[in-house]
Amino acid sequence: MSEAYERERQNNARLDQLSAKVSALRGVTIDIYDSARAHEVIESSSETFSSMKTQLKGSASRLGRMAASGNKVAVFKLAGIVIAVVILLYYIWKLAMFMF
């Protein structure tokens, strides 16, 4: 009887060890998944900003050509856009400073 009890105790100890290892493995798996998801978000953001940069560059070159043509209305539009962007950035900066 004592031998069976000892084996049962050893089995329980091994089962506890195995359970701890499975829990650790589950934690590592979840960390890997979270890291991969974060990397995917970073990649997506990088692609979005790259696309935005290309579009902004194209718009700026079109506006520059329009202003170079000597059209006064185009020059006023360009000046208005620049002023609006500066004001918008100023308000965003003030908002960010207010939040922190």
Side-chain angles (χ1 to χ4, degrees):
M1 208 56 171
S2 168
E3 186 177 320
Y5 177 74
E6 181 61 29
R7 285 186 186 167
E8 186 67 27
R9 191 184 65 73
Q10 288 175 353
N11 282 343
N12 287 341
R14 297 255 175 145
L15 187 60
D16 289 341
Q17 290 173 352
L18 184 59
S19 175
K21 288 178 182 178
V22 167
S23 294
L25 184 59
R26 184 180 301 132
V28 168
T29 304
I30 289 171
D31 289 344
I32 289 172
Y33 175 75
D34 289 344
S35 177
R37 227 172 73 199
H39 182 69
E40 182 179 306
V41 169
I42 290 170
E43 241 179 61
S44 173
S45 297
S46 176
E47 290 173 9
T48 301
F49 281 116
S50 177
S51 172
M52 187 175 75
K53 176 184 170 188
T54 303
Q55 290 174 351
L56 189 61
K57 195 181 224 183
S59 295
S61 86
R62 284 192 301 273
L63 284 172
R65 279 184 296 191
M66 186 172 55
S69 71
N71 187 349
K72 290 195 185 285
V73 175
V75 172
F76 285 129
K77 283 182 184 178
L78 181 59
I81 291 171
V82 169
I83 291 169
V85 167
V86 168
I87 290 171
L88 180 68
L89 289 175
Y90 174 76
Y91 280 121
I92 290 173
W93 181 71
K94 280 293 191 182
L95 182 63
M97 294 302 287
F98 178 71
M99 293 178 79
F100 295 108

Coordinates of all heavy atoms in Angstrom, one line a residue:
M1 N 0.8 -1.2 0.0 CA 0.0 0.0 0.0 C 0.9 1.3 0.0 O 0.5 2.2 -0.7 CB -0.9 -0.1 1.3 CG -2.2 0.6 1.2 SD -3.2 0.0 -0.1 CE -4.6 0.9 0.4
S2 N 1.9 1.2 0.8 CA 2.8 2.3 0.9 C 3.5 2.6 -0.5 O 3.7 3.8 -0.8 CB 3.9 2.0 1.9 OG 4.9 3.0 1.9
E3 N 3.8 1.6 -1.2 CA 4.5 1.8 -2.5 C 3.5 2.4 -3.5 O 3.9 3.3 -4.3 CB 4.9 0.4 -3.1 CG 5.7 0.5 -4.3 CD 6.2 -0.9 -4.8 OE1 6.6 -1.7 -4.0 OE2 6.1 -1.1 -6.0
A4 N 2.3 2.1 -3.5 CA 1.3 2.7 -4.4 C 1.0 4.1 -4.0 O 0.9 5.0 -4.9 CB -0.1 1.9 -4.3
Y5 N 1.0 4.4 -2.7 CA 0.9 5.8 -2.3 C 2.1 6.6 -2.8 O 1.9 7.8 -3.2 CB 0.7 5.8 -0.8 CG 0.7 7.2 -0.2 CD1 -0.5 8.0 -0.4 CD2 1.8 7.8 0.4 CE1 -0.6 9.3 0.1 CE2 1.7 9.1 0.9 CZ 0.5 9.8 0.7 OH 0.4 11.1 1.2
E6 N 3.3 6.1 -2.7 CA 4.5 6.8 -3.1 C 4.5 7.1 -4.6 O 4.8 8.2 -5.0 CB 5.7 6.0 -2.7 CG 7.0 6.6 -3.1 CD 7.3 8.0 -2.4 OE1 6.8 8.2 -1.2 OE2 8.0 8.8 -2.9
R7 N 4.0 6.1 -5.4 CA 3.9 6.3 -6.8 C 2.9 7.4 -7.2 O 3.1 8.2 -8.1 CB 3.6 5.0 -7.5 CG 4.7 4.0 -7.6 CD 4.4 2.8 -8.4 NE 5.5 1.9 -8.4 CZ 5.4 0.6 -8.7 NH1 4.2 0.2 -9.2 NH2 6.4 -0.2 -8.7
E8 N 1.8 7.3 -6.5 CA 0.7 8.3 -6.7 C 1.3 9.7 -6.4 O 1.0 10.7 -7.1 CB -0.5 8.0 -5.8 CG -1.7 8.9 -6.1 CD -2.3 8.8 -7.5 OE1 -2.2 7.7 -8.1 OE2 -2.8 9.8 -8.0
R9 N 2.0 9.9 -5.3 CA 2.6 11.1 -4.9 C 3.6 11.6 -6.0 O 3.7 12.8 -6.4 CB 3.3 11.0 -3.6 CG 3.7 12.3 -3.0 CD 4.5 12.2 -1.7 NE 5.8 11.5 -1.8 CZ 6.9 12.0 -2.4 NH1 6.9 13.2 -2.8 NH2 8.0 11.3 -2.5
Q10 N 4.4 10.7 -6.5 CA 5.4 11.0 -7.5 C 4.7 11.4 -8.8 O 5.1 12.4 -9.5 CB 6.3 9.8 -7.8 CG 7.3 9.5 -6.8 CD 8.2 8.3 -7.1 OE1 7.9 7.6 -8.0 NE2 9.2 8.0 -6.2
N11 N 3.6 10.7 -9.2 CA 2.8 11.1 -10.3 C 2.2 12.5 -10.2 O 2.2 13.3 -11.2 CB 1.7 10.1 -10.6 CG 2.2 8.8 -11.2 OD1 3.3 8.7 -11.8 ND2 1.4 7.7 -11.1
N12 N 1.7 12.8 -9.0 CA 1.1 14.1 -8.8 C 2.2 15.2 -8.9 O 2.0 16.3 -9.4 CB 0.5 14.2 -7.4 CG -0.9 13.4 -7.4 OD1 -1.4 13.1 -8.5 ND2 -1.3 13.0 -6.2
A13 N 3.4 14.9 -8.4 CA 4.5 15.9 -8.4 C 4.9 16.1 -9.9 O 5.1 17.3 -10.3 CB 5.7 15.4 -7.6
R14 N 5.0 15.0 -10.7 CA 5.4 15.2 -12.1 C 4.3 15.9 -12.9 O 4.6 16.7 -13.7 CB 5.6 13.8 -12.7 CG 6.8 13.0 -12.1 CD 7.9 13.0 -13.0 NE 9.1 12.4 -12.3 CZ 9.9 11.7 -12.9 NH1 9.8 11.5 -14.2 NH2 11.0 11.2 -12.3
L15 N 3.0 15.6 -12.5 CA 1.9 16.3 -13.1 C 1.9 17.8 -12.9 O 1.7 18.6 -13.7 CB 0.6 15.7 -12.7 CG -0.7 16.1 -13.4 CD1 -0.6 15.8 -14.9 CD2 -1.9 15.5 -12.8
D16 N 2.3 18.2 -11.6 CA 2.4 19.6 -11.3 C 3.5 20.2 -12.1 O 3.4 21.4 -12.5 CB 2.6 19.7 -9.8 CG 1.4 19.4 -9.0 OD1 0.3 19.4 -9.5 OD2 1.5 19.2 -7.7
Q17 N 4.7 19.5 -12.2 CA 5.8 20.0 -13.0 C 5.4 20.2 -14.5 O 5.7 21.3 -15.1 CB 7.0 19.1 -12.9 CG 7.7 19.1 -11.6 CD 8.7 18.0 -11.5 OE1 8.9 17.2 -12.4 NE2 9.5 18.0 -10.4
L18 N 4.7 19.2 -15.0 CA 4.3 19.3 -16.4 C 3.3 20.5 -16.6 O 3.3 21.2 -17.6 CB 3.6 18.0 -16.8 CG 3.2 17.9 -18.3 CD1 4.4 18.1 -19.2 CD2 2.6 16.5 -18.5
S19 N 2.4 20.7 -15.6 CA 1.4 21.8 -15.7 C 2.1 23.1 -15.7 O 1.7 24.0 -16.4 CB 0.4 21.6 -14.5 OG -0.4 22.7 -14.5
A20 N 3.1 23.2 -14.9 CA 3.9 24.5 -14.8 C 4.6 24.8 -16.1 O 4.6 25.9 -16.6 CB 4.9 24.4 -13.7
K21 N 5.2 23.7 -16.8 CA 5.8 23.9 -18.0 C 4.8 24.3 -19.1 O 5.1 25.1 -20.0 CB 6.6 22.6 -18.4 CG 7.8 22.4 -17.6 CD 8.5 21.1 -18.0 CE 9.7 20.8 -17.1 NZ 10.4 19.6 -17.4
V22 N 3.7 23.6 -19.1 CA 2.6 24.0 -20.1 C 2.2 25.4 -19.9 O 2.0 26.2 -20.9 CB 1.4 23.0 -20.0 CG1 0.3 23.5 -20.8 CG2 1.8 21.6 -20.5
S23 N 2.0 25.9 -18.7 CA 1.6 27.3 -18.4 C 2.7 28.2 -18.9 O 2.4 29.3 -19.5 CB 1.4 27.5 -17.0 OG 0.3 26.7 -16.5
A24 N 4.0 27.9 -18.7 CA 5.0 28.7 -19.2 C 5.1 28.8 -20.7 O 5.2 29.9 -21.3 CB 6.4 28.2 -18.7
L25 N 4.8 27.6 -21.3 CA 4.8 27.6 -22.8 C 3.6 28.4 -23.4 O 3.8 29.1 -24.4 CB 4.7 26.1 -23.3 CG 4.8 25.9 -24.8 CD1 6.1 26.4 -25.4 CD2 4.6 24.4 -25.1
R26 N 2.5 28.3 -22.7 CA 1.3 29.1 -23.1 C 1.7 30.6 -23.0 O 1.3 31.4 -23.9 CB 0.1 28.8 -22.2 CG -1.1 29.5 -22.7 CD -2.3 29.2 -21.8 NE -2.6 27.8 -21.8 CZ -2.9 27.0 -20.7 NH1 -2.9 27.6 -19.5 NH2 -3.1 25.8 -20.8
G27 N 2.3 31.0 -22.0 CA 2.7 32.4 -21.8 C 3.6 32.9 -22.9 O 3.5 34.0 -23.5
V28 N 4.6 32.0 -23.3 CA 5.6 32.4 -24.3 C 4.8 32.5 -25.7 O 5.1 33.4 -26.4 CB 6.7 31.3 -24.4 CG1 7.5 31.5 -25.7 CG2 7.6 31.4 -23.2
T29 N 3.9 31.6 -25.9 CA 3.1 31.6 -27.1 C 2.3 32.8 -27.3 O 2.3 33.5 -28.3 CB 2.2 30.3 -27.2 OG1 3.0 29.2 -27.1 CG2 1.4 30.3 -28.5
I30 N 1.7 33.2 -26.2 CA 0.9 34.5 -26.2 C 1.8 35.7 -26.4 O 1.4 36.6 -27.2 CB 0.1 34.6 -24.9 CG1 -1.0 33.6 -24.8 CG2 -0.5 36.0 -24.7 CD1 -1.7 33.5 -23.5
D31 N 3.0 35.7 -25.8 CA 3.9 36.8 -26.0 C 4.4 36.9 -27.5 O 4.5 38.0 -28.0 CB 5.1 36.7 -25.1 CG 4.8 36.9 -23.6 OD1 3.7 37.5 -23.4 OD2 5.6 36.6 -22.8
I32 N 4.6 35.7 -28.1 CA 5.0 35.7 -29.5 C 3.9 36.2 -30.4 O 4.2 37.0 -31.3 CB 5.5 34.3 -29.9 CG1 6.8 33.9 -29.2 CG2 5.6 34.2 -31.4 CD1 7.2 32.5 -29.4
Y33 N 2.7 35.8 -30.1 CA 1.6 36.3 -30.9 C 1.4 37.8 -30.7 O 1.2 38.5 -31.7 CB 0.3 35.6 -30.4 CG -1.0 36.1 -31.1 CD1 -1.3 35.7 -32.4 CD2 -1.8 36.9 -30.4 CE1 -2.4 36.2 -33.0 CE2 -3.0 37.4 -31.0 CZ -3.3 37.0 -32.3 OH -4.4 37.5 -32.9
D34 N 1.5 38.3 -29.5 CA 1.3 39.8 -29.3 C 2.4 40.5 -30.0 O 2.2 41.6 -30.6 CB 1.4 40.1 -27.8 CG 0.1 39.6 -27.1 OD1 -0.9 39.3 -27.8 OD2 0.1 39.6 -25.9
S35 N 3.7 40.0 -30.0 CA 4.8 40.7 -30.7 C 4.6 40.7 -32.2 O 4.8 41.7 -32.8 CB 6.1 39.9 -30.3 OG 7.1 40.5 -31.0
A36 N 4.1 39.6 -32.7 CA 3.8 39.5 -34.2 C 2.7 40.5 -34.6 O 2.8 41.1 -35.6 CB 3.5 38.1 -34.6
R37 N 1.7 40.5 -33.8 CA 0.6 41.5 -34.0 C 1.1 42.9 -34.0 O 0.8 43.7 -34.9 CB -0.5 41.3 -33.1 CG -1.9 41.2 -33.7 CD -2.9 40.8 -32.8 NE -3.3 41.9 -32.0 CZ -3.9 41.9 -30.8 NH1 -4.3 40.7 -30.4 NH2 -4.1 42.9 -30.1
A38 N 1.9 43.2 -33.0 CA 2.5 44.6 -32.9 C 3.4 44.9 -34.1 O 3.3 46.0 -34.6 CB 3.3 44.7 -31.6
H39 N 4.1 43.9 -34.5 CA 5.0 44.1 -35.7 C 4.2 44.4 -37.0 O 4.5 45.2 -37.8 CB 5.9 42.9 -35.9 CG 6.9 43.0 -37.0 ND1 7.9 43.9 -37.0 CD2 6.9 42.4 -38.2 CE1 8.6 43.8 -38.2 NE2 8.0 42.9 -38.9
E40 N 3.1 43.6 -37.1 CA 2.2 43.8 -38.2 C 1.6 45.2 -38.2 O 1.5 45.9 -39.3 CB 1.1 42.8 -38.2 CG 0.1 42.8 -39.3 CD -1.0 41.8 -39.2 OE1 -0.6 40.6 -39.0 OE2 -2.2 42.1 -39.2
V41 N 1.2 45.7 -37.1 CA 0.7 47.1 -37.0 C 1.7 48.1 -37.4 O 1.4 49.1 -38.1 CB 0.1 47.4 -35.6 CG1 -0.2 48.8 -35.3 CG2 -1.1 46.5 -35.3
I42 N 2.9 47.9 -36.9 CA 4.0 48.8 -37.2 C 4.3 48.8 -38.7 O 4.5 49.9 -39.3 CB 5.3 48.5 -36.4 CG1 5.1 48.8 -35.0 CG2 6.5 49.2 -37.0 CD1 6.2 48.2 -34.1
E43 N 4.3 47.6 -39.3 CA 4.5 47.5 -40.8 C 3.4 48.3 -41.6 O 3.7 49.0 -42.5 CB 4.6 46.1 -41.2 CG 5.9 45.6 -41.8 CD 5.8 44.2 -42.2 OE1 5.0 43.8 -43.0 OE2 6.7 43.5 -41.6
S44 N 2.2 48.1 -41.1 CA 1.0 48.7 -41.8 C 1.1 50.2 -41.7 O 0.9 50.9 -42.6 CB -0.3 48.2 -41.2 OG -1.4 48.9 -41.7
S45 N 1.5 50.7 -40.5 CA 1.7 52.1 -40.3 C 2.8 52.7 -41.2 O 2.6 53.8 -41.7 CB 2.0 52.4 -38.8 OG 0.9 52.0 -38.0
S46 N 3.8 51.9 -41.3 CA 5.0 52.4 -42.1 C 4.5 52.5 -43.6 O 4.9 53.5 -44.3 CB 6.1 51.4 -42.0 OG 7.2 51.7 -42.9
E47 N 3.8 51.5 -44.1 CA 3.3 51.6 -45.4 C 2.3 52.7 -45.6 O 2.4 53.4 -46.7 CB 2.6 50.3 -45.8 CG 3.5 49.1 -45.9 CD 2.7 47.8 -46.1 OE1 1.5 47.8 -46.3 OE2 3.4 46.7 -46.0
T48 N 1.5 53.0 -44.6 CA 0.5 54.1 -44.7 C 1.3 55.4 -44.8 O 0.9 56.3 -45.6 CB -0.4 54.1 -43.5 OG1 -1.1 52.9 -43.5 CG2 -1.4 55.2 -43.6
F49 N 2.3 55.6 -44.0 CA 3.0 56.9 -44.0 C 3.8 57.0 -45.3 O 4.0 58.1 -45.8 CB 3.9 57.0 -42.7 CG 3.2 57.4 -41.5 CD1 3.1 56.5 -40.4 CD2 2.6 58.6 -41.4 CE1 2.4 56.9 -39.3 CE2 1.9 59.0 -40.3 CZ 1.8 58.2 -39.2
S50 N 4.3 55.9 -45.8 CA 5.1 56.0 -47.0 C 4.1 56.4 -48.2 O 4.5 57.3 -49.0 CB 5.7 54.6 -47.3 OG 6.3 54.6 -48.6
S51 N 2.9 55.9 -48.2 CA 2.0 56.2 -49.2 C 1.6 57.7 -49.1 O 1.4 58.4 -50.1 CB 0.7 55.3 -49.1 OG -0.3 55.8 -49.9
M52 N 1.4 58.1 -47.8 CA 1.0 59.5 -47.6 C 2.1 60.5 -48.0 O 1.9 61.5 -48.6 CB 0.7 59.7 -46.1 CG 0.1 61.1 -45.8 SD -0.3 61.3 -44.1 CE 1.3 61.5 -43.3
K53 N 3.4 60.1 -47.8 CA 4.5 60.9 -48.2 C 4.5 61.0 -49.7 O 4.8 62.1 -50.2 CB 5.8 60.2 -47.7 CG 7.1 60.9 -48.1 CD 8.3 60.1 -47.7 CE 9.5 60.7 -48.3 NZ 10.7 59.8 -48.0
T54 N 4.3 59.9 -50.4 CA 4.3 60.0 -51.9 C 3.2 60.9 -52.4 O 3.4 61.7 -53.3 CB 4.1 58.6 -52.4 OG1 5.2 57.7 -51.9 CG2 4.1 58.6 -53.9
Q55 N 2.0 60.8 -51.8 CA 0.9 61.6 -52.2 C 1.1 63.1 -51.9 O 0.8 64.0 -52.7 CB -0.4 61.2 -51.5 CG -0.9 59.8 -52.0 CD -2.1 59.3 -51.2 OE1 -2.5 59.9 -50.2 NE2 -2.7 58.3 -51.7
L56 N 1.7 63.3 -50.7 CA 2.0 64.7 -50.3 C 3.0 65.3 -51.3 O 2.9 66.5 -51.7 CB 2.4 64.8 -48.9 CG 2.6 66.1 -48.3 CD1 1.3 66.9 -48.3 CD2 3.1 66.0 -46.8
K57 N 4.0 64.5 -51.6 CA 5.1 65.0 -52.5 C 4.5 65.4 -53.9 O 4.8 66.4 -54.5 CB 6.1 63.9 -52.7 CG 7.4 64.3 -53.2 CD 8.4 63.2 -53.3 CE 9.7 63.5 -52.9 NZ 10.7 62.4 -53.0
G58 N 3.6 64.5 -54.4 CA 2.9 64.8 -55.7 C 2.1 66.0 -55.6 O 2.1 66.8 -56.5
S59 N 1.4 66.2 -54.5 CA 0.5 67.4 -54.4 C 1.4 68.6 -54.3 O 1.0 69.7 -54.9 CB -0.3 67.3 -53.1 OG -1.3 66.2 -53.2
A60 N 2.5 68.6 -53.6 CA 3.3 69.7 -53.5 C 4.0 70.1 -54.8 O 4.1 71.3 -55.2 CB 4.5 69.4 -52.5
S61 N 4.3 69.1 -55.6 CA 4.9 69.4 -56.9 C 3.9 70.0 -57.8 O 4.2 70.9 -58.6 CB 5.6 68.2 -57.5 OG 4.7 67.4 -58.2
R62 N 2.6 69.5 -57.8 CA 1.6 70.1 -58.6 C 1.3 71.5 -58.2 O 1.1 72.4 -59.0 CB 0.3 69.2 -58.5 CG 0.4 68.0 -59.3 CD -1.0 67.3 -59.4 NE -1.6 66.9 -58.2 CZ -1.3 65.8 -57.5 NH1 -0.5 64.9 -58.0 NH2 -1.9 65.5 -56.4
L63 N 1.2 71.8 -56.9 CA 1.0 73.1 -56.4 C 2.2 74.1 -56.8 O 2.0 75.2 -57.1 CB 0.8 73.2 -54.9 CG -0.5 72.7 -54.3 CD1 -0.5 72.5 -52.8 CD2 -1.6 73.6 -54.8
G64 N 3.4 73.5 -56.8 CA 4.5 74.3 -57.2 C 4.5 74.7 -58.6 O 4.8 75.8 -59.0
R65 N 4.1 73.7 -59.5 CA 3.9 74.0 -60.9 C 2.8 75.1 -61.2 O 2.9 75.9 -62.0 CB 3.6 72.8 -61.7 CG 4.9 71.9 -62.0 CD 4.5 70.8 -62.8 NE 3.6 69.9 -61.9 CZ 3.2 68.7 -62.2 NH1 3.6 68.1 -63.3 NH2 2.5 68.1 -61.4
M66 N 1.8 74.9 -60.4 CA 0.6 75.8 -60.5 C 1.1 77.3 -60.1 O 0.7 78.2 -60.8 CB -0.5 75.4 -59.6 CG -1.8 76.2 -59.8 SD -3.2 75.5 -58.9 CE -2.6 75.4 -57.3
A67 N 1.8 77.4 -59.1 CA 2.3 78.7 -58.6 C 3.3 79.3 -59.6 O 3.4 80.5 -59.9 CB 2.9 78.6 -57.2
A68 N 4.1 78.4 -60.2 CA 5.2 78.8 -61.1 C 4.6 79.3 -62.4 O 5.2 80.1 -63.2 CB 6.2 77.7 -61.4
S69 N 3.4 78.9 -62.7 CA 2.7 79.3 -64.0 C 2.3 80.8 -63.9 O 2.0 81.4 -65.0 CB 1.5 78.5 -64.3 OG 0.5 78.7 -63.4
G70 N 2.3 81.4 -62.8 CA 2.1 82.8 -62.6 C 0.6 83.1 -62.4 O 0.2 84.3 -62.4
N71 N -0.2 82.1 -62.2 CA -1.6 82.3 -61.9 C -1.8 82.9 -60.5 O -1.5 82.2 -59.6 CB -2.4 81.0 -62.1 CG -3.9 81.2 -62.0 OD1 -4.4 82.2 -61.7 ND2 -4.6 80.1 -62.4
K72 N -2.3 84.1 -60.4 CA -2.4 84.8 -59.1 C -3.4 84.0 -58.2 O -3.2 83.9 -57.0 CB -2.9 86.2 -59.3 CG -1.8 87.1 -59.9 CD -2.1 88.5 -59.6 CE -1.1 89.4 -60.3 NZ 0.1 89.5 -59.7
V73 N -4.5 83.5 -58.7 CA -5.4 82.7 -57.9 C -4.8 81.5 -57.3 O -4.9 81.2 -56.2 CB -6.7 82.4 -58.7 CG1 -7.6 81.5 -58.0 CG2 -7.4 83.6 -59.2
A74 N -3.9 80.9 -58.1 CA -3.2 79.7 -57.7 C -2.2 80.0 -56.6 O -2.1 79.3 -55.6 CB -2.5 79.0 -58.8
V75 N -1.6 81.1 -56.7 CA -0.6 81.6 -55.7 C -1.4 81.9 -54.4 O -0.9 81.5 -53.3 CB 0.2 82.8 -56.1 CG1 1.0 83.4 -55.0 CG2 1.0 82.4 -57.3
F76 N -2.5 82.5 -54.4 CA -3.3 82.8 -53.2 C -3.8 81.5 -52.6 O -3.9 81.3 -51.4 CB -4.5 83.7 -53.5 CG -4.1 85.1 -53.7 CD1 -4.5 85.8 -54.8 CD2 -3.3 85.8 -52.8 CE1 -4.1 87.2 -55.0 CE2 -2.9 87.1 -52.9 CZ -3.3 87.8 -54.0
K77 N -4.2 80.5 -53.4 CA -4.7 79.2 -52.9 C -3.5 78.5 -52.2 O -3.7 78.0 -51.1 CB -5.2 78.3 -54.1 CG -6.5 78.6 -54.6 CD -6.9 77.6 -55.6 CE -8.3 77.9 -56.3 NZ -8.6 77.0 -57.3
L78 N -2.3 78.6 -52.8 CA -1.2 77.9 -52.2 C -0.8 78.6 -50.9 O -0.6 77.9 -49.9 CB 0.0 78.0 -53.1 CG 1.3 77.4 -52.7 CD1 1.1 75.9 -52.4 CD2 2.4 77.6 -53.7
A79 N -0.9 79.9 -50.8 CA -0.6 80.6 -49.6 C -1.6 80.3 -48.5 O -1.3 80.1 -47.4 CB -0.6 82.1 -49.8
G80 N -2.9 80.2 -48.9 CA -4.0 79.9 -48.0 C -3.8 78.5 -47.4 O -4.0 78.2 -46.2
I81 N -3.4 77.5 -48.3 CA -3.2 76.2 -47.8 C -2.0 76.1 -46.8 O -2.1 75.5 -45.7 CB -2.9 75.2 -49.0 CG1 -4.2 75.1 -49.8 CG2 -2.4 73.9 -48.5 CD1 -4.0 74.3 -51.1
V82 N -0.9 76.8 -47.1 CA 0.2 76.9 -46.2 C -0.2 77.5 -44.9 O 0.2 76.9 -43.8 CB 1.4 77.6 -46.8 CG1 2.5 77.9 -45.8 CG2 2.0 76.8 -48.0
I83 N -0.9 78.6 -44.9 CA -1.3 79.2 -43.6 C -2.3 78.3 -42.8 O -2.1 78.2 -41.6 CB -2.0 80.6 -43.9 CG1 -0.9 81.6 -44.4 CG2 -2.7 81.1 -42.7 CD1 -1.5 82.9 -45.0
A84 N -3.2 77.6 -43.5 CA -4.1 76.7 -42.9 C -3.4 75.6 -42.2 O -3.7 75.2 -41.1 CB -5.2 76.2 -43.9
V85 N -2.4 75.0 -42.9 CA -1.6 73.9 -42.3 C -0.8 74.4 -41.1 O -0.8 73.7 -40.1 CB -0.7 73.3 -43.4 CG1 0.4 72.4 -42.8 CG2 -1.5 72.6 -44.5
V86 N -0.2 75.6 -41.2 CA 0.5 76.1 -40.0 C -0.4 76.3 -38.8 O -0.1 75.9 -37.7 CB 1.2 77.4 -40.4 CG1 1.8 78.1 -39.1 CG2 2.4 77.1 -41.4
I87 N -1.6 76.9 -39.1 CA -2.6 77.1 -38.0 C -3.0 75.7 -37.4 O -3.1 75.6 -36.2 CB -3.7 77.9 -38.5 CG1 -3.3 79.4 -38.7 CG2 -4.9 77.9 -37.5 CD1 -4.3 80.2 -39.4
L88 N -3.3 74.8 -38.3 CA -3.7 73.4 -37.8 C -2.7 72.8 -37.0 O -2.9 72.2 -35.9 CB -4.1 72.6 -39.0 CG -4.5 71.2 -38.7 CD1 -5.9 71.2 -38.0 CD2 -4.6 70.3 -40.0
L89 N -1.4 72.8 -37.4 CA -0.3 72.3 -36.6 C -0.2 73.0 -35.3 O 0.1 72.3 -34.3 CB 1.0 72.3 -37.4 CG 1.1 71.4 -38.6 CD1 2.3 71.6 -39.4 CD2 1.0 69.9 -38.2
Y90 N -0.3 74.3 -35.3 CA -0.3 75.0 -34.0 C -1.3 74.6 -33.0 O -1.0 74.3 -31.9 CB -0.4 76.5 -34.3 CG -0.5 77.4 -33.1 CD1 0.7 77.7 -32.4 CD2 -1.7 77.9 -32.6 CE1 0.7 78.4 -31.2 CE2 -1.7 78.7 -31.5 CZ -0.6 78.9 -30.8 OH -0.6 79.7 -29.6
Y91 N -2.6 74.4 -33.5 CA -3.6 74.0 -32.6 C -3.4 72.5 -32.1 O -3.7 72.2 -31.0 CB -5.0 74.1 -33.3 CG -5.5 75.5 -33.2 CD1 -5.8 76.2 -34.4 CD2 -5.7 76.2 -32.0 CE1 -6.3 77.5 -34.3 CE2 -6.1 77.5 -32.0 CZ -6.4 78.1 -33.1 OH -6.9 79.4 -33.1
I92 N -2.9 71.7 -33.0 CA -2.6 70.3 -32.6 C -1.5 70.3 -31.5 O -1.6 69.6 -30.6 CB -2.2 69.5 -33.8 CG1 -3.4 69.2 -34.7 CG2 -1.6 68.1 -33.4 CD1 -3.1 68.5 -36.0
W93 N -0.5 71.1 -31.7 CA 0.6 71.2 -30.8 C 0.1 71.7 -29.4 O 0.4 71.2 -28.4 CB 1.7 72.1 -31.3 CG 2.9 72.2 -30.4 CD1 3.8 71.3 -30.1 CD2 3.2 73.4 -29.7 NE1 4.7 71.8 -29.2 CE2 4.4 73.1 -28.9 CE3 2.7 74.7 -29.5 CZ2 5.0 74.0 -28.1 CZ3 3.4 75.6 -28.7 CH2 4.5 75.2 -28.0
K94 N -0.8 72.8 -29.5 CA -1.3 73.3 -28.2 C -2.2 72.3 -27.5 O -2.1 72.1 -26.3 CB -2.2 74.6 -28.5 CG -1.4 75.8 -28.7 CD -0.7 76.2 -27.4 CE -0.1 77.6 -27.5 NZ 0.6 77.9 -26.3
L95 N -3.0 71.5 -28.3 CA -3.8 70.5 -27.7 C -3.0 69.4 -27.1 O -3.3 68.9 -26.0 CB -4.7 69.9 -28.8 CG -5.7 68.8 -28.3 CD1 -6.7 69.3 -27.3 CD2 -6.4 68.2 -29.5
A96 N -1.9 69.0 -27.8 CA -1.0 68.0 -27.2 C -0.3 68.5 -25.9 O -0.2 67.7 -25.0 CB 0.1 67.6 -28.2
M97 N 0.1 69.7 -25.9 CA 0.7 70.3 -24.7 C -0.3 70.4 -23.5 O 0.0 70.2 -22.4 CB 1.2 71.7 -25.0 CG 2.4 71.7 -26.0 SD 3.8 70.7 -25.4 CE 4.4 71.7 -24.1
F98 N -1.6 70.6 -23.9 CA -2.6 70.7 -22.9 C -2.9 69.3 -22.3 O -3.2 69.2 -21.1 CB -3.9 71.3 -23.5 CG -5.1 71.4 -22.5 CD1 -5.1 72.3 -21.5 CD2 -6.1 70.5 -22.7 CE1 -6.2 72.3 -20.6 CE2 -7.2 70.5 -21.8 CZ -7.2 71.5 -20.8
M99 N -2.8 68.3 -23.1 CA -3.1 66.9 -22.6 C -2.1 66.4 -21.7 O -2.3 65.6 -20.8 CB -3.4 66.0 -23.8 CG -4.6 66.3 -24.6 SD -4.8 65.3 -26.0 CE -5.5 63.8 -25.2
F100 N -0.8 66.8 -21.9 CA 0.3 66.3 -21.1 C 0.6 67.4 -20.2 O 1.3 67.6 -19.4 CB 1.5 65.9 -22.0 CG 1.1 64.8 -22.9 CD1 1.0 64.9 -24.2 CD2 1.0 63.5 -22.4 CE1 0.7 63.9 -25.1 CE2 0.6 62.5 -23.2 CZ 0.5 62.6 -24.5

